[in-house]
Amino acid sequence: MLFKLLICFLAGLGAGLGTGFAGMSAAAVISPMLITFLHMDAYEAVGIALASDVLASGVSAYTYGKNKNLDIRNGLVMMAAVLVFTMVGSWVSSKVPNTTMGNFSVLMTMLLGMKFIVKPVMTTKEKMGAVSPKKRILQSVACGTLIGFICGFVGAGGGMMMLLILTSVLGYELKTAVGTSVFIMMFTALTGSISHFALAGMPDVWCLVFCVVFTLLWARIAAKFANKASPKTLNRVTGVILLVLGLSVLAVNLF
């Protein structure tokens, strides 16, 4: 039990920091930890990770929203496109052989981390506001379609894809990008966890409780710090955390 508690604490620590700072999906950290060290069934591990993501993303979204760093309207538009095209991508993937890309999410996490360190996102809210509402909605639909299809086809990378698209393509300021990303992830994780538990039944209850609590705790701490940090500091911290998490998950996968 103590070993289980330790693994869940470390998994929740990594997942919570990734969620609170960068809108990263908890599944990218929790799943490989539970599978590797607790020898848990992959489907069960993903279900626990998604359930941990719901509250962690929810409390992070609340914190970012409270600090006016959340675009709810366009976030809802993008979320609808993501959910629909995740199912489309998943269906297409089932028809095509050999499409698995196991390290896609890990590689994207590390590359995005390096990107924030080398080329930080310094867009301001004033610059964001210069884009017309109609254009922003059309961009949200197009990008949500792309993100959803890729996530459904590959099976990973949702949080990282959203952060990359929001900052690089839609020109979001970093805090607003993370806030909007965790807002969307809260609903996608809820949908995913319900479907996992409905199909496979309840997972290991202690692992579920430990992971949910620790991920929620660290996500709350990370989100509070992120909203008070300067853009330059936030870019560097986010970049370092993503790079470290990516290398850690890669090490776990190779363990």
Side-chain angles (χ1 to χ4, degrees):
M1 180 61 80
L2 282 175
F3 181 69
K4 184 183 289 188
L5 177 64
L6 175 63
I7 295 303
C8 291
F9 173 78
L10 293 174
L13 169 63
L17 291 177
T19 300
F21 274 112
M24 181 175 151
S25 171
V29 178
I30 292 177
S31 299
M33 291 285 287
L34 298 184
I35 293 166
T36 302
F37 295 107
L38 299 182
H39 307 293
M40 187 177 288
D41 174 74
Y43 198 81
E44 182 181 4
V46 172
I48 290 175
L50 288 169
S52 303
D53 221 353
V54 177
L55 290 179
S57 294
V59 75
S60 298
Y62 171 77
T63 305
Y64 279 92
K66 192 177 176 183
N67 288 275
K68 303 188 187 309
N69 293 316
L70 172 59
D71 185 357
I72 293 179
R73 185 179 66 175
N74 291 299
L76 287 171
V77 172
M78 184 178 286
M79 180 182 67
V82 168
L83 290 174
V84 170
F85 280 88
T86 296
M87 290 187 284
V88 173
S90 181
W91 177 79
V92 173
S93 180
S94 69
K95 304 294 180 183
V96 181
N98 302 320
T99 57
T100 54
M101 294 172 62
N103 291 321
F104 176 79
S105 183
V106 178
L107 180 62
M108 179 171 283
T109 300
M110 291 190 291
L111 289 176
L112 198 55
M114 287 188 282
K115 186 255 182 195
F116 282 128
I117 295 171
V118 176
K119 191 179 179 183
V121 177
M122 301 303 288
T123 306
T124 62
K125 288 188 177 179
E126 289 74 21
K127 207 169 180 180
M128 275 181 60
V131 179
S132 69
K134 185 178 178 180
K135 183 180 178 181
R136 182 70 78 196
I137 287 176
L138 291 173
Q139 287 178 327
S140 298
V141 172
C143 292
T145 299
L146 177 65
I147 293 167
F149 184 81
I150 291 174
C151 292
F153 192 75
V154 175
M160 293 299 93
M161 280 292 296
M162 269 186 276
L163 187 61
L164 179 64
I165 294 293
L166 287 170
T167 54
S168 301
V169 179
L170 297 185
Y172 273 56
E173 174 260 343
L174 183 56
K175 291 180 184 179
T176 308
V178 176
T180 306
S181 178
V182 290
F183 174 72
I184 296 170
M185 288 301 296
M186 174 176 63
F187 293 99
T188 56
L190 178 62
T191 305
S193 60
I194 289 173
S195 64
H196 267 69
F197 296 156
L199 292 170
M202 281 298 290
D204 184 311
V205 175
W206 283 113
C207 275
L208 176 64
V209 171
F210 290 153
C211 286
V212 168
V213 170
F214 290 136
T215 306
L216 175 63
L217 172 66
W218 287 105
R220 173 66 172 159
I221 292 170
K224 287 192 77 171
F225 176 83
N227 277 279
K228 291 179 181 178
S230 67
K232 193 173 182 180
T233 301
L234 182 59
N235 271 276
R236 285 178 177 171
V237 173
T238 301
V240 169
I241 286 176
L242 287 175
L243 193 56
V244 170
L245 284 176
L247 289 170
S248 300
V249 173
L250 185 62
V252 167
N253 286 335
L254 296 173
F255 183 81

